[in-house]
Every structure is written in C-alpha cells, then in structure tokens.
Amino acid sequence: MDRRAFAGLMIIEMMLAFGNTFAASFNMVYLFKELEMPIWSGPLYLGIGFTISIFVSLWMSWRPRLDPRNTMIASLCFLIGQYSLFLLVKEGWVLMMAVGLTFGMFYPLFWTPFNILMAQMTEKGDRGVTYGAFFFVWPLATFFAPFLGGLVIGFASYQVLFGLGIFIIAMTAIVVASYRKYIPKDQKMRIRLDAIGKRNVAALLGEGGFEGIFWTDYIIVAWWFSQDEIELGALFSLFGLSAGIMAIILGKVSDRIQNRRFFVQVSALSTIPCVVLVAIASSLGEFAVGMGLLEFACFMLPVFLFAIITDKLEDAKNDSVVGREYLLDIGRSVAIVTLMALLYAGVTPQVCFLLCIPFLLLSALAYEPKKGPVVLPVGTGHADQLH
C-alpha cells in the first residue's frame, strides 16, 4: 500500500470518528431521556452488539478470503441502519434489540479490516508511533463532535442529530469506495490463540473488560450528574485529546527501546487511582477531573498492547488483528453483562465503575517476548498480502 492508501485510511477514520461520536455519544442519553428506559438497561444494545461481534469474528476467521473494501462499505450500511432505527422505532426494548444487531454487525466488519490494513502499513521499528497516530484520530474527532452534537440537540432535536449522523456516515462510505483501488483485497485471517499466548489472551480479555465498563458506565455516571445535553456534550469533548498526543510521543519511544510491555503496565496501573477518583466524585467538576486523568492514563493501553500482539505475529499480522478483536469482544460482553446485573441489583453507577480495576490488573499481564516474532511452519497460516 502506498501513501494514498495511508492518507485514505486516515480520512476514513476521521470521518467515521466524527460522524459516529457526533451521534453515538448520546445514544444512551436518548434512551434514558426520550424513551424513559431504566438506567440498568442502557448498556443492553452494546452487550448484544459485542456478543454478535464474537460470532462475526469467528465467521471472518472461517472465510477463505475477505475483501476489506466491500466489508467496510457493508459495515457502514449497518451503521446507517442503526441511526435510522433511532429515527423510526419508538419502543425502547425493540429499539435496543434492533440497534444491538446492527451495531454487532458494524463493529467487527469495519474495525477488523481497517485494523488489518493499518497493521500492514507498519514494521516493528515504526509500529508504536503509527498505531499512536491512528488511535489519536479518535480523540481528535471527539474533541469537537460530542459538543457539536449537544448543540444540535439543544437547538434542534435528536432527530436532526441522528439524521446528520446518517449523512456523515454515508459520506464516509463514499470515501471508502473512492479509495478502492488503493486498498488491498482478498485478505485471509485466522484466530490463533496459541500464537497470541496465554498471558496476552488474558491481557486482551482484561482490556476488553475495562472498555466494556468504561465505554458504557462513564456515560451513565455523567447522566447522573447532568441531564443537559449541551453540558454533557461539552463534558464528553474534554476527555482524551492530550492523551492522544502523549501516545504518539511514547509510541516513538517504544519503537526505539522495544519495551512496549512497560508502557502497557504503566498505563493499566496508573489508570486504577483515576477509576477510584471517578467512583468517589461528589460533583460534576470532580467527575470531569477524574475522567480527564483517566483518559490520559488509559489511552496508552490499547495502543501498546495492540503493538505487542502484532509484534508477536509479525509474519501473520492479519491473524493478530482478528484474534485481538475476538478476545476484546468477549471481554466487553462479559463486562457489560456484569455491569447490567449490578445496576439492576441497585448498585450505583459510580460504585460499578470500580469494576474496571480487576480488568486493568488482568491487562497488565501482557507478555512481550524478547526473541523474534512467531514463525509459521511451512504450510500453516499465510503471509499478509500487500497488493
């Protein structure tokens, strides 16, 4: 892949990040405020979605070949369908079930091919800084998108918000189609947990579990502190931008010293006191400070753990990506089900946030071998196709 493919992926990610967070930041808020759904049910559609994602990853692993271009366009169609459901369906439980299905199809069908293409652009000597740059696109977009989304709701309506989200995602699909000739096709991938290693399997399950709690519960906690969409949008926009800049810098450092495990452990362990700060916050201001510190601390975790897994399967990058997504989705699903059970039992959202801690400890188990990458036996697996 050449520079045009690299630029294309960055543009695609930026558009998706903006369009998705512009509307998705308020999905649960819409369920709570407009459809009067109980707090415990908020994460349900994500739990359904990530559970479906597990089986989609297995299907992709079973397929002889997959065309990332067609798969990514199909995934964006599912995302458009998701936001269309928010416009059309007014029964809360039906909406969550249907949105869970569309989200479960979108998530792996987009991110697994995208991350495969991203991984193929890297070598061990530049992987940390490249992954850091790609991961930085998301907080850069979310620095603006949720605030603008809150303004749209405040001055117009949720219907306008979701309609604009559909438009931006549709434009993203057009960009994917326009870059077809620069994106490689016919990719093979296999879930190979033995090659990832037991400790890294545990670390990825831990990362997924942390994300499952973090991605859902912080919105619920924020909703407890404020029900004003403009205020919530401003709050969501504050998180994570500085952390993205730091990840790029530390990615370059990790490429030089080749000790990514150190940064994974520092990120996981330094996030724990930030989780406690969020759990004990007594005001919106304290919550904002805790969340800002947490975003700064945890941002390095997925960047460097992803780099470790790709390093370990250097000759089979596709396998590292699909295996990673499979394990993350298992962790996310388990965590979200646990969170919903605790919320249903009457545990407060802030106390539930402490559930992040055991998953963070699990992610710190990541193992980075000092020897070379896994070499596939003759006749096993495949080499990544770059054309």
Side-chain angles (χ1 to χ4, degrees):
M1 286 182 285
D2 57 21
R3 292 181 180 178
R4 287 170 293 188
F6 179 87
L9 286 184
M10 292 292 284
I11 293 170
I12 290 164
E13 185 183 14
M14 177 65 77
M15 293 181 66
L16 176 64
F18 184 87
N20 201 24
T21 57
F22 175 77
S25 297
F26 297 93
N27 285 355
M28 275 195 278
V29 176
Y30 174 80
L31 292 170
F32 298 150
K33 189 169 185 177
E34 299 295 312
L35 302 185
E36 299 181 343
M37 298 298 292
I39 291 293
W40 68 266
S41 69
L44 177 61
Y45 79 92
L46 290 171
I48 294 171
F50 286 127
T51 301
I52 292 172
S53 295
I54 296 168
F55 295 98
V56 175
S57 292
L58 288 171
W59 172 78
M60 287 192 288
S61 178
W62 294 334
R63 292 270 300 175
R65 293 181 182 275
L66 204 68
D67 188 334
R69 306 166 304 176
N70 296 337
T71 305
M72 290 166 65
I73 292 173
S75 74
L76 294 174
C77 292
F78 280 111
L79 188 58
I80 291 171
Q82 174 184 318
Y83 290 125
S84 299
L85 289 168
F86 277 100
L87 290 174
L88 299 173
V89 180
K90 301 305 178 184
E91 168 55 45
W93 295 108
V94 175
L95 176 62
M96 283 198 286
M97 297 292 180
V99 167
L101 173 61
T102 55
F103 177 81
M105 297 301 294
F106 151 72
Y107 199 88
L109 289 178
F110 182 86
W111 286 114
T112 297
F114 183 93
N115 287 337
I116 281 174
L117 299 174
M118 179 177 71
Q120 290 183 6
M121 291 181 177
T122 67
E123 301 294 339
K124 197 169 185 180
D126 65 3
R127 183 161 294 133
V129 69
T130 303
Y131 281 5
F134 271 102
F135 275 72
F136 174 61
V137 169
W138 204 264
L140 180 62
T142 56
F143 185 69
F144 303 101
F147 177 64
L148 294 176
L151 289 177
V152 169
I153 297 170
F155 290 100
S157 66
Y158 277 98
Q159 285 68 34
V160 174
L161 175 81
F162 294 129
L164 289 173
I166 289 171
F167 174 76
I168 298 170
I169 300 304
M171 293 300 101
T172 307
I174 292 173
V175 173
V176 174
S178 68
Y179 274 89
R180 282 181 63 89
K181 64 180 180 180
Y182 305 116
I183 298 175
K185 59 180 181 178
D186 295 335
Q187 299 294 304
K188 294 191 292 183
M189 61 199 80
R190 296 291 179 269
I191 297 173
R192 299 169 53 237
L193 303 185
D194 55 333
I196 293 174
K198 293 180 180 178
R199 286 179 57 174
N200 288 329
V201 166
L204 287 169
L205 291 172
E207 181 196 335
F210 165 68
E211 291 173 348
I213 301 298
F214 174 38
W215 291 353
T216 55
D217 201 32
Y218 93 90
I219 296 177
I220 298 174
V221 175
W223 168 252
W224 271 47
F225 281 117
S226 175
Q227 284 80 49
D228 181 80
E229 288 91 350
I230 297 178
E231 192 171 49
L232 286 171
L235 190 66
F236 296 155
S237 293
L238 289 175
F239 305 147
L241 184 62
S242 59
I245 298 172
M246 183 60 69
I248 296 174
I249 297 171
L250 294 179
K252 186 64 176 178
V253 174
S254 80
D255 288 335
R256 288 181 178 273
I257 67 175
Q258 290 296 308
N259 186 1
R260 310 192 203 278
R261 180 190 173 198
F262 170 77
F263 294 106
V264 169
Q265 293 175 328
V266 167
S267 180
L269 298 179
S270 64
T271 301
I272 292 174
C274 304
V275 169
V276 176
L277 287 177
V278 172
I280 64 175
S282 59
S283 67
L284 185 62
E286 292 178 3
F287 170 69
V289 170
M291 279 297 302
L293 292 172
L294 188 150
E295 285 274 13
F296 189 87
C298 77
F299 192 87
M300 294 183 292
L301 174 59
V303 176
F304 293 112
L305 185 51
F306 191 3
I308 287 174
I309 304 303
T310 314
D311 288 348
K312 200 165 187 297
L313 281 78
E314 181 70 38
D315 296 325
K317 297 186 182 79
N318 294 5
D319 295 355
S320 73
V321 173
V322 71
R324 171 182 178 268
E325 185 60 44
Y326 173 72
L327 292 167
L328 289 177
D329 288 338
I330 292 175
R332 291 162 182 159
S333 300
V334 170
I336 290 173
V337 169
T338 306
L339 172 63
M340 290 177 59
L342 291 174
L343 291 172
Y344 184 78
V347 181
T348 66
Q350 280 183 271
V351 173
C352 288
F353 206 74
L354 294 172
L355 190 60
C356 290
I357 294 176
F359 288 115
L360 286 166
L361 293 173
L362 194 61
S363 68
L365 294 175
Y367 174 68
E368 183 178 19
K370 297 304 179 185
K371 58 185 180 179
V374 173
V375 178
L376 298 177
V378 175
T380 302
H382 58 275
D384 292 324
Q385 298 107 345
L386 295 174
H387 56 277

